[in-house]
């Protein structure tokens, strides 16, 4: 999907029109293209322009040792961290964890940090979710929490992986097909301009009741 394109059912990116509840922007793109960096930059700008806004959610980041990626962690917007997956941990408990490639997914660690961040509060202004991916979806509570956000009137900015071998994750398909969802594809040619497209759209959402 080209930059700025969305399906007809989702309306126009240019207009910023969202369909009722479930105001949602989904950023997709290949691994390493800069989805997390983009979301972090948008968050920083929103905090500067709306210092009183309550942002909730998390980022996913690589864990590296000696230049080699050995896992992933989730980081809340106020800097708290928890393990998401590891290729180096080996104990009786981790042998029961689900795996994605060489990485064992620590569901309990992920849930302990992320699930409280996805609870809707009276003063929540925007949810950030990076990402709705295969590892995160091993949690049976994670996607229901996302759906609960979509049923509210609180905007959601999330990243989702591109289809692998042409096959999308069912939960991601459900998100993309949700009324009010806008899907944007990030690539190396548009990543610098994408922030300037998403930021005003989100700012407009935050101004609406």
């Amino acid at each position: 999907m080209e930059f700025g394109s969305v399906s007809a059912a989702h309306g126009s990116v240019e207009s910023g029109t969202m369909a009722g509840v479930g105001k949602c922007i989904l950023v997709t793109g290949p691994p390493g293209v800069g989805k997390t960096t983009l979301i972090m930059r948008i968050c920083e700008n929103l905090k500067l322009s709306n210092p009183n806004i309550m942002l909730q959610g998390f980022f996913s980041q690589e864990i590296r040792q000696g230049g080699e990626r050995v896992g992933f962690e989730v980081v809340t917007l106020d800097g708290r961290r928890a393990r998401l997956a590891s290729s180096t941990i080996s104990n009786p408990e981790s042998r029961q964890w689900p795996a994605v490639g060489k990485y064992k997914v620590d569901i309990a660690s992920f849930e302990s940090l992320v699930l409280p961040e996805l609870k809707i509060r009276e003063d929540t202004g925007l949810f950030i979710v990076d990402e709705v991916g295969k590892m995160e979806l091993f949690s049976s509570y994670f996607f229901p929490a996302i759906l609960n956000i979509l049923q509210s009137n609180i905007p959601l900015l999330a990243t989702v992986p591109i289809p692998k071998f042409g096959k999308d994750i069912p939960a991601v398909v459900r998100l993309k097909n949700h009324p009010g969802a806008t899907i944007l594809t990030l690539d190396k040619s548009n990543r610098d301009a994408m922030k300037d497209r998403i930021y005003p759209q989100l700012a407009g959402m935050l101004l609406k009741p």
Side-chain angles (χ1 to χ4, degrees), residues 134-190:
K134 189 172 183 179
M135 290 184 179
E136 294 84 358
L137 288 166
F138 276 120
S139 165
S140 59
Y141 299 103
F142 174 63
F143 195 61
I146 299 298
L147 294 180
N148 193 40
I149 291 170
L150 290 176
Q151 290 169 3
S152 74
N153 198 40
I154 300 171
L156 168 67
L157 174 61
T159 62
V160 294
I162 59 172
K164 194 170 185 180
F165 305 117
K167 196 170 184 179
D168 225 337
I169 300 170
V172 173
V173 173
R174 189 170 175 184
L175 274 185
K176 289 179 177 179
N177 290 334
H178 194 280
T182 298
I183 307 159
L184 299 172
T185 300
L186 186 67
D187 58 40
K188 291 181 180 179
S189 69
N190 67 27

Side-chain angles (χ1 to χ4, degrees), residues 99-112:
V100 176
K102 66 179 181 179
Y103 301 103
K104 291 281 192 175
V105 182
D106 189 344
I107 299 173
S109 171
F110 169 75
E111 291 182 339
S112 67

Side-chain angles (χ1 to χ4, degrees), residues 109-122:
S109 171
F110 169 75
E111 291 182 339
S112 67
L113 184 67
V114 166
L115 293 182
E117 288 298 303
L118 300 182
K119 288 184 178 178
I120 296 171
R121 299 180 173 88
E122 187 177 346

Side-chain angles (χ1 to χ4, degrees), residues 36 39-40 43 47 55-63 71-85 109-115 117-118 128-131 136:
T36 297
I39 301 299
M40 291 176 70
C43 277
K47 287 178 183 177
L55 304 180
Q56 290 176 220
F58 70 95
F59 300 104
S60 300
Q61 294 185 342
E62 294 182 350
I63 301 173
F72 298 88
E73 64 181 355
V74 284
V75 186
T76 62
L77 304 188
D78 59 2
R80 289 171 290 123
R81 298 170 182 269
R83 180 173 55 218
L84 171 59
S109 171
F110 169 75
E111 291 182 339
S112 67
L113 184 67
V114 166
L115 293 182
E117 288 298 303
L118 300 182
I128 304 291
V129 175
D130 174 45
E131 71 174 344
E136 294 84 358

